[in-house]
Amino acid sequence: MTVHGLPDPQQMAAQERTRGGRLRMLLVVAACAAPVLASYFTFYVIQPRGQAYGDLIQPTVDLPAQLSLRDLDGKAVAADSLKGQWLLTLVQSGDCDDACEKQLFMQRQLREMLGKERDKVDKLLLLSDDIALKPALQKALAQQGVAVTVLRAPKAELEAWLKPAAGAALRDHLFVIDPMGRWMLRSPQTPDPAKVKADLIRLLKANAGWDKAGR
C-alpha cells in the first residue's frame, strides 16, 4: 500500500489561499470600479435632463502614456502627472492670436462658473509647436486665478490622440479629459459657455460619488 499518489495537504492549503487572495483582489477592483462605471452609465446611457451639448466620445480615448510632453523650460513631463483632475484642455499655437486668447478667456470663465465644483477642475493648454508665448500672455496665464498648466507636445502626437470635428481644427475646440486621463467630451466650434457649463455640471454630479477635489 502506498501514499505517494495522495494530495499534499500543505500544497492544497497554499492553492486555496492563492485562490482566496485572487478572489479578494477581484472584489476590491470591482468595488473601486463600480461607482466609475455607474457614473459613466448615467451620463452616457441614461443622460439625465436631455442630450449633451458637446460631442460625447464613445468609447473614451486614454491619455497616451508616452505622450512627449515638455514644460516651457523644455523639461520632460510625465503624461500620468496630469491625471487626478478634470482637465479643460485647449490645443493652440505658441503665437496665440486673438481667437486663441478668446478660447483661453472662455476656459478661465468656465472653471469659475462651476462655483464650489471648480476645485475638481484644472486648465490645460497644449502648445503644438515651439513658438515662444508672448511674455504678457505667459504672465497672465500664471496670475489669473488658478494658473493654466502650459505644456508642449508634438503636433502629430496630439492629432493622434485628440480629434476635431469634421471641417474643424484642434484649436477650434475645448476638450474635456476625466481624472483617469480619458478624453470623453469635445465642445462644438464657437461654443456657448453656458451650455458647456451645463455639460460639465452634469459630468461632475454623475461622478460625485468617487471624484474628489485635488490630485
Side-chain angles (χ1 to χ4, degrees), residues 1-213:
M1 186 173 181
T2 178
V3 297
H4 294 299
L6 295 177
D8 184 344
Q10 292 184 341
Q11 185 178 12
M12 291 180 64
Q15 292 174 344
E16 187 64 29
R17 286 195 298 271
T18 300
R19 283 194 293 270
R22 288 174 180 168
L23 178 59
R24 285 192 294 273
M25 181 181 68
L26 290 173
L27 289 174
V28 169
V29 171
C32 293
V36 181
L37 295 174
S39 63
Y40 271 78
F41 179 81
T42 300
F43 189 77
Y44 281 101
V45 181
I46 300 176
Q47 295 188 344
R49 288 182 294 168
Q51 300 292 316
Y53 171 65
D55 298 320
L56 293 172
I57 308 305
Q58 298 176 289
T60 57
V61 182
D62 288 339
L63 172 70
Q66 302 306 316
L67 186 62
S68 304
L69 295 169
R70 295 174 290 122
D71 64 19
L72 294 181
D73 294 324
K75 182 180 178 181
V77 175
D80 279 353
S81 68
L82 296 177
K83 295 181 180 180
Q85 288 280 83
W86 291 92
L87 298 175
L88 300 180
T89 304
L90 295 173
V91 179
Q92 298 289 336
S93 167
D95 58 9
C96 198
D97 57 14
D98 289 345
C100 165
E101 292 193 17
K102 288 179 181 177
Q103 291 274 50
L104 290 169
F105 177 77
M106 179 189 69
Q107 181 191 49
R108 178 171 65 87
Q109 291 300 100
L110 274 172
R111 183 182 181 277
E112 294 308 307
M113 288 164 64
L114 294 174
K116 64 181 181 180
E117 299 289 346
R118 65 179 176 266
D119 289 337
K120 298 178 181 179
V121 178
D122 282 349
K123 297 171 290 183
L124 175 63
L125 173 60
L126 296 174
L127 301 177
S128 60
D129 53 38
D130 291 322
I131 298 175
L133 283 175
K134 292 176 286 189
L137 178 58
Q138 189 171 340
K139 182 178 179 181
L141 292 175
Q143 290 183 345
Q144 293 180 352
V146 174
V148 180
T149 299
V150 184
L151 299 172
R152 298 187 190 276
K155 185 176 181 180
E157 292 187 23
L158 293 174
E159 290 175 337
W161 173 35
L162 303 171
K163 305 292 184 183
L170 288 179
R171 63 178 295 160
D172 297 328
H173 299 288
L174 178 80
F175 302 94
V176 179
I177 316 299
D178 80 5
M180 286 171 283
R182 296 179 298 203
W183 169 39
M184 51 82 61
L185 188 71
R186 176 181 62 208
S187 79
Q189 292 177 260
T190 59
D192 180 337
K195 293 181 179 179
V196 177
K197 175 196 170 185
D199 276 351
L200 293 172
I201 290 294
R202 287 174 57 205
L203 277 171
L204 293 170
K205 285 185 177 179
N207 291 275
W210 62 272
D211 181 29
K212 305 301 179 186

